[in-house]
Amino acid sequence: MKKIILLGIGLLISYNIVGQNTSSEAKKLLDEVSNKMGAYTNMTIGFNSSLINKEAGIINDAPIRGEITLSGEKYNLNYLGNNFIFNGDKLVVINQEEKEVTLSNGDLDDEDGFIYPSKLLTFYKEGYNFSMGKLENNNGRKVQFVDLFPIDSNSDIVKVQLGIDAKTKHIYKLVQIGANGAETTFTIVKFKSNQPISRKLFTFDKEKYLKMGYFID
């Protein structure tokens, strides 16, 4: 009986040690990614996104394309028919189809549980526990996944899988699994860093859009 108890304790300790090791490895990898990508003066990222929710009968086979240029906290994002411009203080959302512009203080609100493309590089820094996930071979590219679980039990997100290019230490893919069964995937298809960009990229030309007949709220 004592041997069985000791064996159980030994297994419990070994599981805890393995868990701590994978968590430590995951943190080390995420820190490498943060340090590597955070050191760039700017980044231009082209991506494809898809949404699958089998329970709701939603299967988006055709990828939705988007592109974002980031420089520090500033970004210019084209996604879902909108142009998002954030200058580090104010956010401008330009709806091309409706010819409408919305201005607001602060960045995109993430209270809806959605990880926006502008948050791809920073979302994991707070509010998650993580461990090493699967290692995939994607056409010769080794992609190491880190599994992230929200600390908040009431989060709209159940799990996030962050795929990292093992060679470049760049983010390659993000899979977000929601509590409602929805699975959103972002895959980076283009990446450029430290490119010459115009300062006007992060500014909003109000007069230009007024002349084009846009309604500005």
Side-chain angles (χ1 to χ4, degrees):
M1 185 67 178
K2 287 183 179 180
K3 289 183 179 179
I4 294 175
I5 293 173
L6 289 172
L7 177 61
I9 293 173
L11 288 172
L12 182 61
I13 291 173
S14 65
Y15 286 148
N16 284 337
I17 290 173
V18 170
Q20 290 172 1
N21 286 342
T22 58
S23 177
S24 177
E25 289 176 15
K27 183 179 185 305
K28 181 181 178 183
L29 180 57
L30 290 175
D31 286 342
E32 283 186 76
V33 173
S34 179
N35 292 335
K36 177 74 177 289
M37 301 187 79
Y40 295 129
T41 303
N42 60 66
M43 292 174 284
T44 297
I45 299 171
F47 61 88
N48 290 337
S49 72
S50 63
L51 171 65
I52 296 175
N53 190 336
K54 294 180 180 178
E55 293 180 10
I58 300 172
I59 300 178
N60 179 15
D61 293 324
I64 300 172
R65 301 183 183 279
E67 184 169 296
I68 183 169
T69 298
L70 304 104
S71 180
E73 294 184 350
K74 301 176 182 179
Y75 62 81
N76 187 310
L77 165 66
N78 284 294
Y79 184 54
L80 296 174
N82 295 305
N83 182 206
F84 302 81
I85 303 173
F86 183 60
N87 63 5
D89 181 37
K90 296 184 183 297
L91 174 68
V92 179
V93 181
I94 305 170
N95 186 317
Q96 311 282 1
E97 185 176 342
E98 300 294 332
K99 298 193 74 172
E100 182 176 279
V101 178
T102 303
L103 295 87
S104 59
N105 293 319
D107 200 353
L108 281 168
D109 190 353
D110 57 2
E111 289 184 359
D112 57 4
F114 184 74
I115 299 173
Y116 289 92
S118 59
K119 307 291 186 183
L120 282 178
L121 309 181
T122 58
F123 81 94
Y124 56 83
K125 292 187 177 182
E126 293 181 3
Y128 287 90
N129 291 319
F130 34 76
S131 62
M132 293 296 280
K134 59 186 176 181
L135 177 65
E136 284 188 354
N137 190 320
N138 194 317
N139 296 323
R141 178 196 302 223
K142 290 184 178 180
V143 180
Q144 175 64 61
F145 282 85
V146 174
D147 296 332
L148 300 99
F149 303 92
I151 295 172
D152 181 2
S153 59
N154 296 317
S155 173
D156 291 327
I157 299 174
V158 174
K159 180 182 179 182
V160 177
Q161 295 174 303
L162 191 65
I164 297 165
D165 188 309
K167 182 178 180 180
T168 64
K169 297 299 186 293
H170 288 167
I171 293 174
Y172 169 68
K173 180 179 288 189
L174 179 145
V175 181
Q176 174 184 316
I177 302 169
N180 61 355
E183 184 175 302
T184 306
T185 301
F186 290 100
T187 304
I188 293 177
V189 295
K190 182 182 77 173
F191 181 89
K192 292 182 179 180
S193 61
N194 298 339
Q195 300 293 304
I197 58 175
S198 171
R199 293 182 180 180
K200 294 181 179 180
L201 192 63
F202 307 114
T203 60
F204 171 61
D205 188 340
K206 184 177 179 179
E207 294 303 318
K208 170 186 172 182
Y209 284 91
L210 283 173
K211 290 178 180 178
M212 291 170 63
Y214 276 69
F215 172 75
I216 298 179
D217 183 6

